[in-house]
Amino acid sequence: MDTIIAPATAPGKAALAVIRVSGPAAQPMTQTLLERPIPWIPQRATLVRLWDRGEFLDQAVLVYWKKPHSFTGEDVVEISCHGSPYIVQKMVAAYIARGARFALPGEFTQRAFLHGKLDLTQAEAIHEIIQAQTPAALEGALGIHQGKLRNKIVQLRERLLGIVAHLEAYVDFPDEDVPPLVQKELEEALDCLEQELEALLRTAPVGKILREGVVTAIVGAPNVGKSSLFNALLREDRAIVSPIPGTTRDTIETECQLGGFCLRLVDTAGRRKTDDWIEQEGVRRAEAALAQADLVLYVIVAPEPEPEEVRRLLPPPGKVWLVVANKCDLGIHPDHRDRICVSALTGQGLDRLQEEIVRQLTGGLALAKEGWITINPRHEGLLRRAQEGLQRARTAWQEGASLELVSVDLRESLQALGEVIGLGCREEILDEVFRRFCIGK
Ligand SMILES: Nc1nc2c(c(=O)[nH]1)N(C=O)[C@@H](CNc1ccc(C(=O)N[C@@H](CCC(=O)O)C(=O)O)cc1)CN2
Ligand SMILES: Nc1nc2c(ncn2[C@@H]2O[C@H](COP(=O)(O)OP(=O)(O)OP(=O)(O)O)[C@@H](O)[C@H]2O)c(=O)[nH]1
Ligand SMILES: [K+]
């Protein structure tokens, strides 16, 4: 295994910069940079002076982690130097000159995974901890980093393994039928597994919006108060409001936090001035424009009767669609008695709107038991595969197929569950996961 190096802190000027070196040569390479020898006591900070071929580099704090008791499971040296990009560059160059290689993105975490320090869900969670945009996203990522998802998957896998073992015990005795009592027991165990997979799968949509933000569209007829509502929602958490120029398109995206979610108000600025689009281009066009939204706030006016288009527009499936009656300070028409009524002007009802948005986004109580633990798209694909395996096994079982065939399907499920935590994953899949990380992670 070669020795890798990368700065662990972000590029740019800062009080400190941390450089991390991992691999068998971390210690001997560092030795050649030290002004004088040090005792190399693991996990202790040592103040050192570093030199490279007669050039003074910096005074720094060095921490040595001895294999296997390190983040990566290899010998690790961490150098905390002054946060000058030049110092960082020279330090890295000094190690490269001694045979180290600049680490690929995520390579330290990849090595931690390879040495069994983390499973794949925990490794992924490190990236998510860093990327978290909201307290809820962070809470979920920290939970997965602690092993909550891994434990769940390990438990499901062990139960399935038990079922397979039980079944396969009968394979060797083709003349014996599986006793009815055992059959019933196995079927119940499979049912139970399927339900738990289903519960995990249901967290995927929340996971998506926790990780990527909630693409939000505020729509409605002209002058109903869309801009005002937009501003009123932003005021909820002004500190984190930021206009971010879109990276892939020329649109301006504004983010705001709402009840633990990051709302991404996309394209509203551009569309705001031509809001008569409903009349102009018809309902179909309107639905197409909303296609990318996760959350649609359809604004109408509280003191007026329900407009006809509200009945005409069918909420697209898979989206949270809320009709919000604004300007309730001017009165509430009986049509809207059961609606969320707000006043963007006075702030009335905004708390309830916020609660309702969160309630709808989290799908009621679906998350309550697991906290904010949600699966990501990679997990989702694998859990679906696992579920399909179980369903095929059930069908085969009910149609009286041979036990061998049933167990083939169950083993396919086992394989998929294993891949969630990184067991038996192809190399390319692992590379794909880790290359999404930032440098030095
Ligand atoms: N300086 C520093 N800070 C850091 C990290 C790091 O690598 N270096 N981390 C990096 O993400 C996070 C902390 N995570 C870590 C996880 C495991 C080990 C580690 O050395 N584990 C060994 C020893 C355990 C022990 O002595 O109790 C092990 O698991 O064997 C270190 C950091 C955040 N802060
Ligand atoms: N009384 C009252 N007036 C409001 C409220 N919200 C908005 N308004 C007023 O309604 C008018 C239109 O508000 P906007 O926020 O510009 O409405 P809009 O839907 O973005 O309008 P367009 O951009 O023309 O589509 C403004 O004069 C606002 O001050 C409210 O809750 N109560
Ligand atoms: K406006």
Side-chain angles (χ1 to χ4, degrees):
M1 193 74 90
D2 47 4
T3 296
I4 54 175
I5 181 167
T9 42
K13 295 171 192 163
L16 300 177
V18 175
I19 296 162
R20 184 156 51 173
V21 193
S22 180
Q27 190 206 13
M29 283 177 184
T30 309
Q31 206 121 37
T32 69
L33 298 171
L34 294 175
E35 192 172 81
R36 59 174 74 94
I38 58 166
W40 293 103
I41 301 167
Q43 299 191 22
R44 185 194 286 182
T46 312
L47 186 62
V48 296
R49 293 166 62 83
L50 298 161
W51 295 76
D52 181 22
R53 281 167 293 180
E55 186 188 6
F56 179 65
L57 294 176
D58 198 10
Q59 183 176 47
V61 171
L62 188 153
V63 180
Y64 168 57
W65 306 79
K66 194 171 164 56
K67 171 187 165 175
H69 304 296
S70 71
F71 173 69
T72 59
E74 304 174 335
D75 270 358
V76 169
V77 172
E78 287 177 357
I79 297 165
S80 302
C81 57
H82 293 105
S84 148
Y86 294 115
I87 293 177
V88 172
Q89 199 181 10
K90 284 183 182 183
M91 293 273 186
V92 171
Y95 279 91
I96 303 268
R98 284 159 179 77
R101 169 170 70 71
F102 198 83
L104 297 168
E107 199 171 7
F108 291 95
T109 310
Q110 189 164 16
R111 289 191 173 190
F113 167 74
L114 288 174
H115 293 120
K117 294 284 172 184
L118 309 155
D119 82 294
L120 199 51
T121 66
Q122 291 174 302
E124 289 172 312
I126 290 183
H127 178 61
E128 284 175 2
I129 287 172
I130 295 166
Q131 298 295 327
Q133 300 252 43
T134 63
L138 177 61
E139 192 184 324
L142 286 171
I144 294 181
H145 184 246
Q146 283 166 40
K148 286 193 179 170
L149 184 56
R150 179 204 55 198
N151 294 348
K152 184 83 202 158
I153 300 292
V154 165
Q155 191 217 0
L156 292 176
R157 234 183 132 255
E158 276 167 5
R159 278 161 49 191
L160 183 52
L161 203 57
I163 296 172
V164 174
H166 203 149
L167 263 185
E168 288 178 353
Y170 290 93
V171 172
D172 298 332
F173 305 98
D175 296 334
E176 266 177 59
D177 279 337
V178 182
L181 203 66
V182 175
Q183 266 194 36
K184 190 160 176 290
E185 218 178 271
L186 290 179
E187 274 176 30
E188 276 168 11
L190 280 180
D191 272 351
C192 199
L193 275 179
E194 262 185 61
Q195 278 165 24
E196 293 195 35
L197 281 180
E198 191 52 48
L200 274 177
L201 280 164
R202 270 201 303 270
T203 69
V206 185
K208 178 178 177 288
I209 56 183
L210 275 183
R211 289 172 178 91
E212 298 171 16
V214 185
V215 178
T216 304
I218 300 183
V219 298
N223 232 32
V224 293
K226 296 179 293 296
S227 316
S228 305
L229 182 61
F230 175 71
N231 288 330
L233 287 175
L234 289 191
R235 229 166 284 135
E236 290 288 305
D237 221 333
R238 179 147 262 176
I240 317 170
V241 170
S242 64
I244 298 169
T247 41
T248 52
R249 289 158 301 152
D250 295 326
T251 59
I252 299 291
E253 194 177 296
T254 307
E255 297 189 347
C256 80
Q257 298 222 356
L258 192 71
F261 289 100
C262 177
L263 260 52
R264 290 167 44 194
L265 294 140
V266 187
D267 283 344
T268 29
R271 202 180 286 145
R272 221 173 293 160
K273 286 294 150 228
T274 55
D275 265 324
D276 36 307
W277 49 274
I278 289 188
E279 280 86 9
Q280 274 178 0
E281 303 180 89
V283 172
R284 288 174 60 130
R285 176 70 190 269
E287 284 178 352
L290 298 176
Q292 60 160 335
D294 299 305
L295 168 67
V296 180
L297 299 180
Y298 195 100
V299 185
I300 57 175
V301 183
E304 294 168 15
E306 173 177 87
E308 200 217 330
E309 82 257 12
V310 170
R311 266 161 292 173
R312 261 192 300 152
L313 263 169
L314 285 177
K319 292 184 194 304
V320 173
W321 180 278
L322 286 175
V323 176
V324 183
N326 187 33
K327 308 197 188 187
C328 72
D329 55 296
L330 300 178
I332 299 174
H333 189 277
D335 280 1
H336 310 306
R337 253 200 297 266
D338 300 324
R339 288 233 156 83
I340 302 169
C341 296
V342 303
S343 167
L345 201 66
T346 67
Q348 206 177 323
L350 286 177
D351 284 351
R352 237 205 92 205
L353 173 59
Q354 176 166 340
E355 278 166 26
E356 186 59 19
I357 290 173
V358 173
R359 205 176 66 79
Q360 298 258 352
L361 288 175
T362 51
L365 297 171
L367 274 181
K369 264 184 290 177
E370 308 277 351
W372 289 95
I373 304 297
T374 60
I375 59 170
N376 71 24
R378 187 186 70 83
H379 309 146
E380 187 183 4
L382 290 167
L383 293 180
R384 289 216 184 286
R385 234 176 77 197
Q387 208 182 32
E388 282 157 18
L390 292 189
Q391 283 157 359
R392 275 197 314 273
R394 166 188 304 281
T395 312
W397 174 265
Q398 282 163 352
E399 288 170 356
S402 73
L403 287 183
E404 277 110 321
L405 279 182
V406 174
S407 99
V408 164
D409 289 326
L410 293 181
R411 290 209 168 264
E412 166 63 19
S413 275
L414 266 179
Q415 169 69 24
L417 280 179
E419 285 182 34
V420 174
I421 54 175
L423 290 175
C425 268
R426 291 204 321 274
E427 199 80 22
E428 306 92 82
I429 302 285
L430 295 177
D431 285 344
E432 202 183 300
V433 168
F434 289 108
R435 291 306 92 82
R436 283 200 290 262
F437 282 43
C438 40
I439 301 273
K441 200 52 247 178

